[in-house]
Amino acid sequence: MSDLTSPRVIKIKGLLFLVMGLLASALILIEAPSVKNLLLLVTVIWSFCRFYYFAFYVIERYVDPSYRFSGLGSFVKYLLRRSRS
């Protein structure tokens, strides 16, 4: 499979991720509506966004500028290799 290069398709893909996340969040809150669940959902989303930022931006810019990650699987492999050495 080749890399996605079309700016239009990349934007559509991003919007689909947003819609998917909003629908999943709405379904969770419809299933069990409470302020507690809303706050937990917001915390989970924020935490995963920060982890994603850390995994790609922080590691590449500040920890190991020579390494380029291609996805979360690549990041896990990188961590496992670094922990062995």
Side-chain angles (χ1 to χ4, degrees), residues 14-62:
L15 286 174
L16 288 174
F17 281 131
L18 177 64
V19 169
M20 196 168 56
L22 290 172
L23 285 173
S25 299
L27 290 172
I28 288 171
L29 293 173
I30 288 169
E31 181 78 23
S34 71
V35 173
K36 176 185 168 186
N37 285 343
L38 173 65
L39 293 175
L40 287 171
L41 193 57
V42 168
T43 303
V44 166
I45 293 167
W46 180 82
S47 298
F48 278 116
C49 288
R50 295 303 297 174
F51 173 74
Y52 191 83
Y53 169 79
F54 170 79
F56 293 98
Y57 186 79
V58 173
I59 296 294
E60 285 185 0
R61 297 283 191 259
Y62 302 109

Side-chain angles (χ1 to χ4, degrees), residues 55-78 81:
F56 293 98
Y57 186 79
V58 173
I59 296 294
E60 285 185 0
R61 297 283 191 259
Y62 302 109
V63 176
D64 190 354
S66 66
Y67 198 79
R68 295 291 178 252
F69 299 99
S70 61
L72 290 175
S74 172
F75 179 67
V76 170
K77 288 178 191 175
Y78 171 79
R81 271 188 256 135

